[in-house]
């Protein structure tokens, strides 16, 4: 496959699995050249093999501040003008109650889901502002809006995404740089629950007897958002599968 060197450039974090892989495939289909990033280089290389020169595999740990800060100047010169940044890399670790969790897991979530997106944004946003052109997309979550037991730091990190995107919009008023928080609920077909629960059977049980969202649903949503007319900014979009809903507050009846 030959690549058009003037095609716009997107950078996707966490392109080695799940949403990031599906978003990379979709953006290439939409005519973008995609810098596909993540820690597992062999997966990125396989994606480049599949999609051709339109994909630049780039090993990147978003919690490695030095690597993220160096990114704009390290990229090959014809890949440096990133127009779309998809801040997708993220994870949940554990479902224990707050007093039982492993604090190292909390720190990993903060380093990835909060510091990671802060660093990638700070690294690539100045270029977008100077070109007066760009789009920052973030993978938030319904967990950022609705509490549930065991969500503690994960949900709070996604609430950070929500407010960060709103505050970026405020800073960017007057610039042609768009900002969107994409907030899905239950979504299968990714490694999310395996990473969270560290047990394949428990991970499979999360989706038992459900029809969850799919990574392709997320990728098509991202594609639609990016293709919206330049004067239109999708601030926040929340999606759930039909089989899921926020279903009320819990009441303990054993305490009175
Ligand atoms: P996956 O576990 O399938 O993918 C997560 C991706 O993040 C992987 O590519 C992983 O790559 C990457 N990643 C994790 N840590 C780092 C790091 N330190 N540096 C760089 N990349 C990292 O999960 P999903 O595709 O399901 O999730 C993608 C995003 O969507 C996450 O932010 C998640 O919180 C969010 N989300 C998921 C939902 C779901 O139900 N699945 C629902 C709502 C939101 P590697 O390990 O190779 O670095
Ligand atoms: C992923 C959705 O409900 O597992 O962000 O927190 S949930």
């Amino acid at each position: 496959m030959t690549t058009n060197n003037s095609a716009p450039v997107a950078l996707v974090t966490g392109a080695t699995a799940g949403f990031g892989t599906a978003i990379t495939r979709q953006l290439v289909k939409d005519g973008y050249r995609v810098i596909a990033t993540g820690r597992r280089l062999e997966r990125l290389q396989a994606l480049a093999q599949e999609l051709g020169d339109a994909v630049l595999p780039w090993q990147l740990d978003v919690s490695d501040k030095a690597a993220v800060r160096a990114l704009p100047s390290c990229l090959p010169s014809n890949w440096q003008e990133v127009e779309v940044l998809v801040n997708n890399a993220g994870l949940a670790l554990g479902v224990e109650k707050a007093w039982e969790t492993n604090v190292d897991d909390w720190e990993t979530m903060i380093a990835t889901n909060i510091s990671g997106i802060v660093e990638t944004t700070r690294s690539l946003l100045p270029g977008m502002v100077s070109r007066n052109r760009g789009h920052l997309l973030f993978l938030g979550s319904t967990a950022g809006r609705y509490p549930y037991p065991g969500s503690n730091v994960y949900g709070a990190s996604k609430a950070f995404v929500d407010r960060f995107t709103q505050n970026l919009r405020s800073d960017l008023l007057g610039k042609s740089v768009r900002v969107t928080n994409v907030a899905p609920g239950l979504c299968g077909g990714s490694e999310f629950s395996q990473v969270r629960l560290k047990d394949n059977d428990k991970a499979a049980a999360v989706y038992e007897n459900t029809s969850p969202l799919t990574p392709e649903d997320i990728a098509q949503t991202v594609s639609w958002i990016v293709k919206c007319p330049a004067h239109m900014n999708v601030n926040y979009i929340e999606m759930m599968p039909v089989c899921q809903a926020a279903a009320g507050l819990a009441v303990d009846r054993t305490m009175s």
Side-chain angles (χ1 to χ4, degrees):
M1 194 191 291
T2 52
T3 315
N4 174 1
N5 263 336
S6 61
V9 175
L11 187 144
V12 178
T13 66
T16 59
F19 301 0
T21 302
I23 291 166
T24 299
R25 290 190 176 118
Q26 182 63 47
L27 289 177
V28 167
K29 211 180 278 177
D30 291 345
Y32 284 86
R33 290 181 290 149
V34 180
I35 305 166
T37 74
R39 292 169 300 181
R40 287 170 289 180
L41 182 60
E42 67 291 350
R43 295 242 185 144
L44 303 170
Q45 286 165 337
L47 205 50
Q49 193 92 39
E50 172 192 330
L51 298 170
D53 292 347
V55 169
L56 176 66
W58 196 269
Q59 191 169 35
L60 183 71
D61 178 340
V62 294
S63 68
D64 179 345
K65 291 182 184 175
V68 177
R69 289 177 190 183
L71 187 60
S73 55
C74 291
L75 290 168
S77 57
N78 60 334
W79 290 83
Q80 284 183 358
E81 295 195 356
V82 174
E83 189 168 316
V84 173
L85 167 61
V86 185
N87 274 299
N88 163 73
L91 76 173
L93 292 170
V95 283
E96 293 80 16
K97 296 282 171 62
W99 61 93
E100 292 166 340
T101 53
N102 176 344
V103 77
D104 291 339
D105 285 348
W106 276 7
E107 281 173 7
T108 301
M109 288 189 275
I110 292 166
T112 314
N113 302 359
I114 299 180
S115 300
I117 64 170
V118 165
E119 288 289 339
T120 52
T121 300
R122 187 63 184 84
S123 185
L124 293 168
L125 182 57
M128 293 183 185
V129 170
S130 71
R131 292 185 292 277
N132 200 29
R133 187 180 175 83
H135 200 148
L136 301 167
L137 292 103
F138 294 83
L139 260 298
S141 168
T142 49
R145 288 256 163 131
Y146 310 104
Y148 64 87
S151 175
N152 41 66
V153 165
Y154 176 67
S157 74
K158 295 302 185 179
F160 178 90
V161 174
D162 194 28
R163 182 48 59 94
F164 188 43
T165 55
Q166 292 178 50
N167 286 344
L168 286 166
R169 283 280 291 134
S170 297
D171 284 353
L172 286 162
L173 188 64
K175 310 281 181 203
S176 295
V177 178
R178 300 186 289 181
V179 188
T180 305
N181 176 12
V182 179
L186 184 75
C187 186
S190 79
E191 297 177 351
F192 179 82
S193 291
Q194 282 145 279
V195 171
R196 182 175 210 173
L197 304 171
K198 301 181 181 85
D199 178 313
N200 287 347
D201 292 338
K202 285 185 186 161
V206 171
Y207 309 102
E208 222 164 63
N209 301 321
T210 72
S211 297
L213 297 172
T214 68
E216 289 69 33
D217 294 331
I218 310 306
Q220 278 166 25
T221 304
V222 166
S223 169
W224 170 74
I225 291 166
V226 168
K227 278 190 219 148
C228 282
H231 68 269
M232 174 174 163
N233 191 94
V234 177
N235 295 338
Y236 174 80
I237 186 162
E238 181 181 300
M239 293 160 285
M240 289 183 191
V242 175
C243 63
Q244 183 180 40
L249 297 175
V251 175
D252 183 286
R253 298 183 193 281
T254 67
M255 294 176 75
S256 57

